[in-house]
Amino acid sequence: MRIPVLFVTFALVLTSGVYASGARESDASTITLYSGRGESLVQPLVERFEEETGIRVQVRYGGTAELAVLLQEEGARSPADVFWGQDGGALGALSRADLLADLPEDILAGIPQIYRNSTGNWVATSGRARVLAFDPRSIPENDLPTSVFDLTAEKYRGNVAWAPTNGSFQAFVTAMRVVHGDETTSRWIRDMLANDVQIYRNNTSIVEAIAAGEVAMGITNNYYLLRFLAADPAYPVRQTFFEANDTGNLVNVAGAGVLKTSTNPDGALQFIRFLLSSVAQQYFTTEIFEYPVVDTVEMNPQLVRYDQLLDITPEVDLDTLEDLEATLSLLRSAGAL
Amino acid sequence: MSTNLLLKRRGNLRVPRLLLLPPVLIALAMVIPLWYLLLRTAEADSALLRELLFRPRTLQLLLNTLALTAYVLVLSTAIGVPLAWLTVRTDLPGRRLVTFLAVMPLAIPGYVMAHALLSLGGNSGLLAMLGLSVSRPGGLHGASWALSLYAFPYIFLNTRSALLSLDPGTEESARSIGYGPAQVFLKVIIPLISPGLVAGWVIVTLYTLGDFGAVALMRYEVFSYAIYTQYAAAFDRVYAAALALILVGLTAGPLWLEAHFLRSRYVARVGSGVARRTAITPRGPWLIPALFFVTAVVAASLGLPVLTLIYWMTLRSPLPVLHRVAGFFANSVAAALPAALVAVVMVLPVAYLRTRFPSRIARLAERSVYIGYAVPPLALALAMVFFSLRAVPWLYQSLTLLVFTYSLNFLALAMGPIRSALMLAPRRLEEAARSTGRGPVPAFLLTVLPILRKGIFASLTLVFVMAMKELPIAFLLAPTGFTTLSVAVFSRTSEGMLAEAAPYAAAIVLLSSMFVGLMLRYEGQEFS
């Protein structure tokens, strides 16, 4: 019988030491990063940072929401120094739970209003524009809606997709509430539902559904399609902005903050500075098709220019976007969630 | 006739004290997630909780959940039971291969299965290339098929270990008193394999109630959707906990039914310790349909998802990241293998107590095992975060804690095959061994353990393969910097990089297939 082989393996692995070493406190030469951003895009940056500063980064990868909930559960006992999340809502929740430390003024200097919150305890690391993705085979360019409010038109019945559980979508709804008020927003949601809006899991599945010809268009974030196109240049979907200043052009953010309980706040700040440096900003733009938060990088030709984007997008305070509760409540009462 | 005798004998065998320890510990451990959920729910504002719960949509989501569960149960039974029968009781060519292929879909990550089915239809889908215009699957049908195609192995494995442990003598006796094949099947085999089948149903039910990913990709809205939204959209632990408690409450129904069913059953072989190989029914005219069935199941449950993975890998070559895949591969094994072993070691005494000394404590411990599987994994992980930071802070985010949490999560998976095998192992054997003056432990090791081997292997396989795919627990409890394959997959799909995620998902499938293959080989030694 060779079952013992298994147990021996087990014992060997057991004694190899990894099993007993729990969460380590950071010292001056390491920081612990909780990253809701994907490993494939974080890893190259982390390596670069480690090379430049000699500070080692221990990374915990996970869903932005899961890690945000984890940080709340850990509270004062958290081993994390930095949280880097995919959307502002998660950082807002941590800010409200009083878990984030104030960032020094100079870090926020030169960063446009749409990329910072007034509390100053977290900062956007890149911008992600809301866009309309569409199937050019079924919707001719001149038949596209000019405003997100046009999507309720009868001619688009059953042909528009959204992802109501998605953080970016909810931030967009919050923006609509801020700009147009709760009543208008609620009516828009009900009209969309009445117009047989198609519900999808997330932005990725919206873009895939358009490619499959299941639905003609969908409101999503700008980079998903661009990443698909990078893998497959023949991908049959296109995307566009609505008219300038339309709420549908909201720029969402990915952002980062330093935990109040950080045992290496200097190292943590260095990491945030690095994320805002032109090296990292150039990387976000070139490699993952997100918008830079500083004006010092060369734009990816597939994105609109930095100053153009600021013209197109509605000016909405990041702080106001943090008010998720009311948005969720509104989505629920309208029957969208 | 023998019931009285058995009852009398039971009185003679005293419960070894030591045997009570693990079940009591497990039951205590299972209090952690429940306590945590109650604690969080107590923080809720009742007005907001009412707004969340008492609306027509909650009812709709519950009804959808029920419909999905029923559909998945029927479908996965229709796939799993015939497959188990074909591989155990017929001389179908390539039975061992079919067995392997029938377990493998467990290893397919849910998102891959959903994408594979979705890629069948639509403008650029597989069927469109063949000139067929078919819309993509979705809704109740799509969600049920996606779930059933990777959940049927639970039914298959549980039924199979029950079938393997059957004593051919029972059927022979039935035939000798004039039963035809159909009667033997209905009156002898079905009752004998029913504990296994029911165990499989319970797992599939709990799995269906808890699954969110594949169901959401198929655009069907169920109750787990509400929990996910609360954690993921509101970054909230309080109302999510309340919803999680409701989900746990939902599982009480099927668990009570199963307990009720098991209480009325005691099945055991009366013959020798190790069964002879069971009789093989001639394949006859059924061969062609049987082969067709097997091929269709394998093509849908394995062929499609593997093709999908290969397609993604042609979009972006996996070669440059092979070294990373290898590193994560090792991490996944270091977490999943001990989790499987610990789960089996923990569940053995519980199942043994439950089948041999069915006291109230034993039944309670056995039921409590299912709590770990019924609590949404994210809530379970948060409960362990809460508990470990207060009670054992030095173990927080250690591999030990991750392994322990996995074991708690998957104990229910390990329970089914081992319990079915124990129910079929004759009590007399231990009694005989005990009567020769051996202690209870040697008696068990000498007589029962060999019969349990198949059950144990099935349990190990189930836990290992599920732990390989597991997500939210790994996010929260794995050591920082310890990235497993499943985290690596998520870490790419969450950024919309499906092609980049493919090599890691393929590694999960490959590693699981190696493990399943190894298990089947050991298991087969007895007969080969």
PDB file of all heavy atoms in Angstrom, chain A residues 19 23 37-39 60 73-74 198-199 208 212 214 227 337, chain B residues 36 40 57 115 123 219 324 334 396 400 475 478 491-492 495:
ATOM      1  N   TYR A  19       3.740  26.555   7.503  1.00  0.00           N
ATOM      2  CA  TYR A  19       2.430  26.413   8.117  1.00  0.00           C
ATOM      3  C   TYR A  19       2.263  27.236   9.389  1.00  0.00           C
ATOM      4  O   TYR A  19       1.174  27.612   9.755  1.00  0.00           O
ATOM      5  CB  TYR A  19       2.135  24.943   8.408  1.00  0.00           C
ATOM      6  CG  TYR A  19       1.833  24.195   7.152  1.00  0.00           C
ATOM      7  CD1 TYR A  19       2.839  23.654   6.390  1.00  0.00           C
ATOM      8  CD2 TYR A  19       0.529  24.093   6.693  1.00  0.00           C
ATOM      9  CE1 TYR A  19       2.562  23.014   5.205  1.00  0.00           C
ATOM     10  CE2 TYR A  19       0.238  23.456   5.513  1.00  0.00           C
ATOM     11  CZ  TYR A  19       1.266  22.915   4.772  1.00  0.00           C
ATOM     12  OH  TYR A  19       0.983  22.291   3.601  1.00  0.00           O
ATOM     13  N   ALA A  23       0.713  36.092   9.971  1.00  0.00           N
ATOM     14  CA  ALA A  23       0.910  37.403   9.400  1.00  0.00           C
ATOM     15  C   ALA A  23       2.069  38.099  10.105  1.00  0.00           C
ATOM     16  O   ALA A  23       2.107  38.170  11.324  1.00  0.00           O
ATOM     17  CB  ALA A  23      -0.360  38.211   9.558  1.00  0.00           C
ATOM     18  N   ARG A  37      -6.282  45.080  -7.139  1.00  0.00           N
ATOM     19  CA  ARG A  37      -5.900  45.119  -8.538  1.00  0.00           C
ATOM     20  C   ARG A  37      -5.157  43.836  -8.881  1.00  0.00           C
ATOM     21  O   ARG A  37      -4.475  43.261  -8.052  1.00  0.00           O
ATOM     22  CB  ARG A  37      -5.012  46.332  -8.813  1.00  0.00           C
ATOM     23  CG  ARG A  37      -5.655  47.632  -8.388  1.00  0.00           C
ATOM     24  CD  ARG A  37      -5.756  48.620  -9.523  1.00  0.00           C
ATOM     25  NE  ARG A  37      -6.398  48.064 -10.704  1.00  0.00           N
ATOM     26  CZ  ARG A  37      -6.506  48.716 -11.850  1.00  0.00           C
ATOM     27  NH1 ARG A  37      -5.990  49.913 -11.978  1.00  0.00           N
ATOM     28  NH2 ARG A  37      -7.123  48.179 -12.878  1.00  0.00           N
ATOM     29  N   GLY A  38      -5.295  43.420 -10.125  1.00  0.00           N
ATOM     30  CA  GLY A  38      -4.814  42.105 -10.539  1.00  0.00           C
ATOM     31  C   GLY A  38      -3.309  41.933 -10.454  1.00  0.00           C
ATOM     32  O   GLY A  38      -2.537  42.876 -10.622  1.00  0.00           O
ATOM     33  N   GLU A  39      -2.942  40.696 -10.210  1.00  0.00           N
ATOM     34  CA  GLU A  39      -1.536  40.359 -10.026  1.00  0.00           C
ATOM     35  C   GLU A  39      -0.693  40.661 -11.260  1.00  0.00           C
ATOM     36  O   GLU A  39       0.416  41.152 -11.161  1.00  0.00           O
ATOM     37  CB  GLU A  39      -1.438  38.862  -9.671  1.00  0.00           C
ATOM     38  CG  GLU A  39      -0.107  38.427  -9.164  1.00  0.00           C
ATOM     39  CD  GLU A  39       0.471  37.327 -10.004  1.00  0.00           C
ATOM     40  OE1 GLU A  39      -0.263  36.763 -10.837  1.00  0.00           O
ATOM     41  OE2 GLU A  39       1.652  37.042  -9.819  1.00  0.00           O
ATOM     42  N   ARG A  60      -0.980  40.810  -0.876  1.00  0.00           N
ATOM     43  CA  ARG A  60      -2.137  39.923  -0.760  1.00  0.00           C
ATOM     44  C   ARG A  60      -3.090  40.309  -1.869  1.00  0.00           C
ATOM     45  O   ARG A  60      -3.591  41.436  -1.917  1.00  0.00           O
ATOM     46  CB  ARG A  60      -2.799  40.103   0.611  1.00  0.00           C
ATOM     47  CG  ARG A  60      -4.234  39.560   0.708  1.00  0.00           C
ATOM     48  CD  ARG A  60      -4.755  39.622   2.126  1.00  0.00           C
ATOM     49  NE  ARG A  60      -3.821  38.956   2.996  1.00  0.00           N
ATOM     50  CZ  ARG A  60      -3.821  37.638   3.203  1.00  0.00           C
ATOM     51  NH1 ARG A  60      -4.724  36.871   2.622  1.00  0.00           N
ATOM     52  NH2 ARG A  60      -2.936  37.089   3.976  1.00  0.00           N
ATOM     53  N   GLU A  73     -12.953  44.072   9.051  1.00  0.00           N
ATOM     54  CA  GLU A  73     -13.007  43.021  10.070  1.00  0.00           C
ATOM     55  C   GLU A  73     -11.731  43.025  10.908  1.00  0.00           C
ATOM     56  O   GLU A  73     -11.770  42.809  12.109  1.00  0.00           O
ATOM     57  CB  GLU A  73     -13.200  41.661   9.378  1.00  0.00           C
ATOM     58  CG  GLU A  73     -13.673  40.568  10.289  1.00  0.00           C
ATOM     59  CD  GLU A  73     -15.033  40.873  10.888  1.00  0.00           C
ATOM     60  OE1 GLU A  73     -16.007  40.855  10.137  1.00  0.00           O
ATOM     61  OE2 GLU A  73     -15.112  41.135  12.097  1.00  0.00           O
ATOM     62  N   GLU A  74     -10.590  43.264  10.246  1.00  0.00           N
ATOM     63  CA  GLU A  74      -9.310  43.269  10.978  1.00  0.00           C
ATOM     64  C   GLU A  74      -9.207  44.466  11.906  1.00  0.00           C
ATOM     65  O   GLU A  74      -8.633  44.385  12.993  1.00  0.00           O
ATOM     66  CB  GLU A  74      -8.148  43.312   9.977  1.00  0.00           C
ATOM     67  CG  GLU A  74      -7.935  42.029   9.210  1.00  0.00           C
ATOM     68  CD  GLU A  74      -6.809  42.144   8.189  1.00  0.00           C
ATOM     69  OE1 GLU A  74      -6.495  43.270   7.752  1.00  0.00           O
ATOM     70  OE2 GLU A  74      -6.248  41.103   7.808  1.00  0.00           O
ATOM     71  N   GLN A 198     -30.936  44.709 -20.488  1.00  0.00           N
ATOM     72  CA  GLN A 198     -30.408  43.361 -20.278  1.00  0.00           C
ATOM     73  C   GLN A 198     -29.370  43.380 -19.145  1.00  0.00           C
ATOM     74  O   GLN A 198     -28.474  44.216 -19.142  1.00  0.00           O
ATOM     75  CB  GLN A 198     -29.759  42.849 -21.565  1.00  0.00           C
ATOM     76  CG  GLN A 198     -30.731  42.786 -22.736  1.00  0.00           C
ATOM     77  CD  GLN A 198     -31.817  41.740 -22.510  1.00  0.00           C
ATOM     78  OE1 GLN A 198     -31.528  40.579 -22.279  1.00  0.00           O
ATOM     79  NE2 GLN A 198     -33.072  42.178 -22.551  1.00  0.00           N
ATOM     80  N   ILE A 199     -29.524  42.440 -18.216  1.00  0.00           N
ATOM     81  CA  ILE A 199     -28.684  42.446 -17.020  1.00  0.00           C
ATOM     82  C   ILE A 199     -27.506  41.491 -17.188  1.00  0.00           C
ATOM     83  O   ILE A 199     -27.691  40.330 -17.557  1.00  0.00           O
ATOM     84  CB  ILE A 199     -29.507  42.027 -15.793  1.00  0.00           C
ATOM     85  CG1 ILE A 199     -30.626  43.048 -15.581  1.00  0.00           C
ATOM     86  CG2 ILE A 199     -28.635  41.933 -14.551  1.00  0.00           C
ATOM     87  CD1 ILE A 199     -31.784  42.483 -14.809  1.00  0.00           C
ATOM     88  N   GLU A 208     -18.567  40.863 -23.979  1.00  0.00           N
ATOM     89  CA  GLU A 208     -18.666  39.568 -24.661  1.00  0.00           C
ATOM     90  C   GLU A 208     -20.046  39.366 -25.286  1.00  0.00           C
ATOM     91  O   GLU A 208     -20.164  38.794 -26.376  1.00  0.00           O
ATOM     92  CB  GLU A 208     -18.381  38.439 -23.674  1.00  0.00           C
ATOM     93  CG  GLU A 208     -16.916  38.315 -23.346  1.00  0.00           C
ATOM     94  CD  GLU A 208     -16.652  37.235 -22.305  1.00  0.00           C
ATOM     95  OE1 GLU A 208     -17.452  37.124 -21.354  1.00  0.00           O
ATOM     96  OE2 GLU A 208     -15.677  36.512 -22.460  1.00  0.00           O
ATOM     97  N   ALA A 212     -21.043  38.696 -29.150  1.00  0.00           N
ATOM     98  CA  ALA A 212     -21.808  37.516 -29.559  1.00  0.00           C
ATOM     99  C   ALA A 212     -23.092  37.901 -30.278  1.00  0.00           C
ATOM    100  O   ALA A 212     -23.815  37.034 -30.763  1.00  0.00           O
ATOM    101  CB  ALA A 212     -22.129  36.660 -28.337  1.00  0.00           C
ATOM    102  N   GLU A 214     -25.670  39.278 -28.864  1.00  0.00           N
ATOM    103  CA  GLU A 214     -26.815  39.058 -27.996  1.00  0.00           C
ATOM    104  C   GLU A 214     -27.510  40.376 -27.671  1.00  0.00           C
ATOM    105  O   GLU A 214     -28.718  40.427 -27.462  1.00  0.00           O
ATOM    106  CB  GLU A 214     -26.319  38.399 -26.706  1.00  0.00           C
ATOM    107  CG  GLU A 214     -27.380  37.806 -25.836  1.00  0.00           C
ATOM    108  CD  GLU A 214     -26.745  36.944 -24.750  1.00  0.00           C
ATOM    109  OE1 GLU A 214     -26.512  35.748 -25.000  1.00  0.00           O
ATOM    110  OE2 GLU A 214     -26.452  37.461 -23.661  1.00  0.00           O
ATOM    111  N   ARG A 227      -8.596  45.926 -23.746  1.00  0.00           N
ATOM    112  CA  ARG A 227      -7.810  44.744 -23.379  1.00  0.00           C
ATOM    113  C   ARG A 227      -8.189  43.554 -24.253  1.00  0.00           C
ATOM    114  O   ARG A 227      -7.340  42.757 -24.626  1.00  0.00           O
ATOM    115  CB  ARG A 227      -8.013  44.412 -21.894  1.00  0.00           C
ATOM    116  CG  ARG A 227      -7.330  45.422 -20.998  1.00  0.00           C
ATOM    117  CD  ARG A 227      -7.603  45.177 -19.537  1.00  0.00           C
ATOM    118  NE  ARG A 227      -7.279  46.385 -18.768  1.00  0.00           N
ATOM    119  CZ  ARG A 227      -7.606  46.570 -17.495  1.00  0.00           C
ATOM    120  NH1 ARG A 227      -8.260  45.623 -16.844  1.00  0.00           N
ATOM    121  NH2 ARG A 227      -7.268  47.679 -16.870  1.00  0.00           N
ATOM    122  N   LEU A 337     -31.869  45.922  -8.231  1.00  0.00           N
ATOM    123  CA  LEU A 337     -30.929  45.063  -7.487  1.00  0.00           C
ATOM    124  C   LEU A 337     -31.688  44.020  -6.680  1.00  0.00           C
ATOM    125  O   LEU A 337     -32.739  44.329  -6.126  1.00  0.00           O
ATOM    126  CB  LEU A 337     -30.087  45.901  -6.529  1.00  0.00           C
ATOM    127  CG  LEU A 337     -28.765  46.429  -7.035  1.00  0.00           C
ATOM    128  CD1 LEU A 337     -28.041  47.165  -5.931  1.00  0.00           C
ATOM    129  CD2 LEU A 337     -27.873  45.312  -7.569  1.00  0.00           C
TER     130      LEU A 337
ATOM    131  N   TYR B  36     -20.470  34.273  14.773  1.00  0.00           N
ATOM    132  CA  TYR B  36     -20.029  35.483  14.073  1.00  0.00           C
ATOM    133  C   TYR B  36     -21.188  36.130  13.308  1.00  0.00           C
ATOM    134  O   TYR B  36     -21.412  37.339  13.390  1.00  0.00           O
ATOM    135  CB  TYR B  36     -18.881  35.146  13.125  1.00  0.00           C
ATOM    136  CG  TYR B  36     -18.564  36.271  12.175  1.00  0.00           C
ATOM    137  CD1 TYR B  36     -17.752  37.333  12.570  1.00  0.00           C
ATOM    138  CD2 TYR B  36     -19.102  36.297  10.892  1.00  0.00           C
ATOM    139  CE1 TYR B  36     -17.485  38.382  11.716  1.00  0.00           C
ATOM    140  CE2 TYR B  36     -18.838  37.338  10.035  1.00  0.00           C
ATOM    141  CZ  TYR B  36     -18.037  38.383  10.449  1.00  0.00           C
ATOM    142  OH  TYR B  36     -17.791  39.428   9.602  1.00  0.00           O
ATOM    143  N   ARG B  40     -22.801  39.877  13.992  1.00  0.00           N
ATOM    144  CA  ARG B  40     -22.871  40.944  12.994  1.00  0.00           C
ATOM    145  C   ARG B  40     -24.314  41.349  12.728  1.00  0.00           C
ATOM    146  O   ARG B  40     -24.618  42.521  12.594  1.00  0.00           O
ATOM    147  CB  ARG B  40     -22.192  40.506  11.694  1.00  0.00           C
ATOM    148  CG  ARG B  40     -20.694  40.460  11.767  1.00  0.00           C
ATOM    149  CD  ARG B  40     -20.064  41.841  11.661  1.00  0.00           C
ATOM    150  NE  ARG B  40     -18.660  41.814  12.051  1.00  0.00           N
ATOM    151  CZ  ARG B  40     -18.200  42.211  13.227  1.00  0.00           C
ATOM    152  NH1 ARG B  40     -19.022  42.698  14.130  1.00  0.00           N
ATOM    153  NH2 ARG B  40     -16.916  42.138  13.509  1.00  0.00           N
ATOM    154  N   ARG B  57     -38.997  41.330  -4.358  1.00  0.00           N
ATOM    155  CA  ARG B  57     -37.858  40.764  -5.050  1.00  0.00           C
ATOM    156  C   ARG B  57     -37.208  39.618  -4.264  1.00  0.00           C
ATOM    157  O   ARG B  57     -36.708  38.670  -4.858  1.00  0.00           O
ATOM    158  CB  ARG B  57     -36.829  41.860  -5.309  1.00  0.00           C
ATOM    159  CG  ARG B  57     -35.791  41.446  -6.301  1.00  0.00           C
ATOM    160  CD  ARG B  57     -35.017  42.630  -6.806  1.00  0.00           C
ATOM    161  NE  ARG B  57     -33.729  42.176  -7.281  1.00  0.00           N
ATOM    162  CZ  ARG B  57     -33.538  41.648  -8.466  1.00  0.00           C
ATOM    163  NH1 ARG B  57     -34.551  41.511  -9.288  1.00  0.00           N
ATOM    164  NH2 ARG B  57     -32.354  41.241  -8.840  1.00  0.00           N
ATOM    165  N   HIS B 115     -18.390  30.216 -19.384  1.00  0.00           N
ATOM    166  CA  HIS B 115     -17.914  30.792 -20.654  1.00  0.00           C
ATOM    167  C   HIS B 115     -17.955  29.767 -21.775  1.00  0.00           C
ATOM    168  O   HIS B 115     -18.267  30.090 -22.917  1.00  0.00           O
ATOM    169  CB  HIS B 115     -16.491  31.332 -20.496  1.00  0.00           C
ATOM    170  CG  HIS B 115     -16.446  32.718 -19.943  1.00  0.00           C
ATOM    171  ND1 HIS B 115     -16.750  33.822 -20.689  1.00  0.00           N
ATOM    172  CD2 HIS B 115     -16.162  33.162 -18.709  1.00  0.00           C
ATOM    173  CE1 HIS B 115     -16.655  34.905 -19.930  1.00  0.00           C
ATOM    174  NE2 HIS B 115     -16.301  34.526 -18.722  1.00  0.00           N
ATOM    175  N   ASN B 123     -23.126  35.105 -32.344  1.00  0.00           N
ATOM    176  CA  ASN B 123     -22.590  35.363 -33.680  1.00  0.00           C
ATOM    177  C   ASN B 123     -21.271  34.670 -33.970  1.00  0.00           C
ATOM    178  O   ASN B 123     -21.037  34.160 -35.053  1.00  0.00           O
ATOM    179  CB  ASN B 123     -22.362  36.868 -33.855  1.00  0.00           C
ATOM    180  CG  ASN B 123     -23.651  37.570 -34.132  1.00  0.00           C
ATOM    181  OD1 ASN B 123     -24.631  36.922 -34.503  1.00  0.00           O
ATOM    182  ND2 ASN B 123     -23.670  38.875 -33.933  1.00  0.00           N
ATOM    183  N   ARG B 219     -26.789  34.876 -16.154  1.00  0.00           N
ATOM    184  CA  ARG B 219     -27.810  35.905 -16.049  1.00  0.00           C
ATOM    185  C   ARG B 219     -29.089  35.399 -15.398  1.00  0.00           C
ATOM    186  O   ARG B 219     -30.182  35.707 -15.841  1.00  0.00           O
ATOM    187  CB  ARG B 219     -28.109  36.489 -17.427  1.00  0.00           C
ATOM    188  CG  ARG B 219     -26.853  36.905 -18.169  1.00  0.00           C
ATOM    189  CD  ARG B 219     -27.143  37.470 -19.520  1.00  0.00           C
ATOM    190  NE  ARG B 219     -28.077  38.562 -19.420  1.00  0.00           N
ATOM    191  CZ  ARG B 219     -28.940  38.886 -20.367  1.00  0.00           C
ATOM    192  NH1 ARG B 219     -28.972  38.207 -21.474  1.00  0.00           N
ATOM    193  NH2 ARG B 219     -29.764  39.891 -20.213  1.00  0.00           N
ATOM    194  N   ARG B 324       5.874  31.143 -13.364  1.00  0.00           N
ATOM    195  CA  ARG B 324       4.940  31.642 -12.346  1.00  0.00           C
ATOM    196  C   ARG B 324       3.876  30.584 -12.051  1.00  0.00           C
ATOM    197  O   ARG B 324       3.513  30.359 -10.898  1.00  0.00           O
ATOM    198  CB  ARG B 324       4.249  32.920 -12.811  1.00  0.00           C
ATOM    199  CG  ARG B 324       5.187  34.079 -13.056  1.00  0.00           C
ATOM    200  CD  ARG B 324       4.377  35.359 -13.223  1.00  0.00           C
ATOM    201  NE  ARG B 324       3.844  35.795 -11.948  1.00  0.00           N
ATOM    202  CZ  ARG B 324       4.531  36.498 -11.065  1.00  0.00           C
ATOM    203  NH1 ARG B 324       5.773  36.832 -11.330  1.00  0.00           N
ATOM    204  NH2 ARG B 324       3.983  36.881  -9.935  1.00  0.00           N
ATOM    205  N   ALA B 334       0.190  22.839  -1.515  1.00  0.00           N
ATOM    206  CA  ALA B 334       0.506  22.970  -0.095  1.00  0.00           C
ATOM    207  C   ALA B 334      -0.735  23.318   0.720  1.00  0.00           C
ATOM    208  O   ALA B 334      -0.790  23.064   1.910  1.00  0.00           O
ATOM    209  CB  ALA B 334       1.585  24.028   0.118  1.00  0.00           C
ATOM    210  N   TYR B 396      -2.877  33.927  12.688  1.00  0.00           N
ATOM    211  CA  TYR B 396      -3.628  34.682  11.688  1.00  0.00           C
ATOM    212  C   TYR B 396      -2.890  34.727  10.351  1.00  0.00           C
ATOM    213  O   TYR B 396      -1.697  35.005  10.299  1.00  0.00           O
ATOM    214  CB  TYR B 396      -3.889  36.106  12.183  1.00  0.00           C
ATOM    215  CG  TYR B 396      -4.732  36.898  11.221  1.00  0.00           C
ATOM    216  CD1 TYR B 396      -5.978  36.446  10.844  1.00  0.00           C
ATOM    217  CD2 TYR B 396      -4.258  38.078  10.659  1.00  0.00           C
ATOM    218  CE1 TYR B 396      -6.756  37.150   9.942  1.00  0.00           C
ATOM    219  CE2 TYR B 396      -5.026  38.791   9.752  1.00  0.00           C
ATOM    220  CZ  TYR B 396      -6.271  38.324   9.396  1.00  0.00           C
ATOM    221  OH  TYR B 396      -7.025  39.006   8.490  1.00  0.00           O
ATOM    222  N   THR B 400      -1.539  27.184   8.277  1.00  0.00           N
ATOM    223  CA  THR B 400      -2.277  26.282   9.163  1.00  0.00           C
ATOM    224  C   THR B 400      -3.741  26.694   9.265  1.00  0.00           C
ATOM    225  O   THR B 400      -4.643  25.867   9.153  1.00  0.00           O
ATOM    226  CB  THR B 400      -1.648  26.297  10.575  1.00  0.00           C
ATOM    227  OG1 THR B 400      -0.255  26.059  10.423  1.00  0.00           O
ATOM    228  CG2 THR B 400      -2.263  25.247  11.456  1.00  0.00           C
ATOM    229  N   PHE B 475      -8.414  34.451  -0.466  1.00  0.00           N
ATOM    230  CA  PHE B 475      -8.171  35.904  -0.420  1.00  0.00           C
ATOM    231  C   PHE B 475      -7.838  36.356   0.991  1.00  0.00           C
ATOM    232  O   PHE B 475      -6.923  37.115   1.226  1.00  0.00           O
ATOM    233  CB  PHE B 475      -9.438  36.689  -0.798  1.00  0.00           C
ATOM    234  CG  PHE B 475      -9.825  36.648  -2.232  1.00  0.00           C
ATOM    235  CD1 PHE B 475     -11.112  36.988  -2.610  1.00  0.00           C
ATOM    236  CD2 PHE B 475      -8.921  36.304  -3.215  1.00  0.00           C
ATOM    237  CE1 PHE B 475     -11.491  36.981  -3.930  1.00  0.00           C
ATOM    238  CE2 PHE B 475      -9.298  36.284  -4.544  1.00  0.00           C
ATOM    239  CZ  PHE B 475     -10.583  36.619  -4.901  1.00  0.00           C
ATOM    240  N   ALA B 478      -5.057  33.141   3.298  1.00  0.00           N
ATOM    241  CA  ALA B 478      -3.752  32.641   2.873  1.00  0.00           C
ATOM    242  C   ALA B 478      -2.685  33.587   3.402  1.00  0.00           C
ATOM    243  O   ALA B 478      -2.947  34.773   3.601  1.00  0.00           O
ATOM    244  CB  ALA B 478      -3.678  32.566   1.353  1.00  0.00           C
ATOM    245  N   SER B 491      -7.287  37.035 -10.166  1.00  0.00           N
ATOM    246  CA  SER B 491      -6.529  38.271 -10.251  1.00  0.00           C
ATOM    247  C   SER B 491      -6.409  38.749 -11.698  1.00  0.00           C
ATOM    248  O   SER B 491      -6.069  39.896 -11.943  1.00  0.00           O
ATOM    249  CB  SER B 491      -5.157  37.997  -9.647  1.00  0.00           C
ATOM    250  OG  SER B 491      -4.476  39.162  -9.387  1.00  0.00           O
ATOM    251  N   ARG B 492      -6.656  37.884 -12.640  1.00  0.00           N
ATOM    252  CA  ARG B 492      -6.643  38.277 -14.050  1.00  0.00           C
ATOM    253  C   ARG B 492      -8.052  38.477 -14.603  1.00  0.00           C
ATOM    254  O   ARG B 492      -8.329  39.464 -15.270  1.00  0.00           O
ATOM    255  CB  ARG B 492      -5.875  37.240 -14.860  1.00  0.00           C
ATOM    256  CG  ARG B 492      -4.398  37.404 -14.643  1.00  0.00           C
ATOM    257  CD  ARG B 492      -3.583  36.184 -14.975  1.00  0.00           C
ATOM    258  NE  ARG B 492      -2.179  36.453 -14.671  1.00  0.00           N
ATOM    259  CZ  ARG B 492      -1.669  36.407 -13.452  1.00  0.00           C
ATOM    260  NH1 ARG B 492      -2.424  36.091 -12.424  1.00  0.00           N
ATOM    261  NH2 ARG B 492      -0.401  36.679 -13.250  1.00  0.00           N
ATOM    262  N   GLU B 495      -9.730  41.729 -13.978  1.00  0.00           N
ATOM    263  CA  GLU B 495      -9.317  42.876 -14.781  1.00  0.00           C
ATOM    264  C   GLU B 495      -9.735  42.680 -16.231  1.00  0.00           C
ATOM    265  O   GLU B 495      -9.256  43.376 -17.127  1.00  0.00           O
ATOM    266  CB  GLU B 495      -7.787  43.058 -14.702  1.00  0.00           C
ATOM    267  CG  GLU B 495      -7.243  43.248 -13.306  1.00  0.00           C
ATOM    268  CD  GLU B 495      -7.315  44.697 -12.818  1.00  0.00           C
ATOM    269  OE1 GLU B 495      -7.789  45.561 -13.579  1.00  0.00           O
ATOM    270  OE2 GLU B 495      -6.905  44.948 -11.670  1.00  0.00           O
TER     271      GLU B 495
END
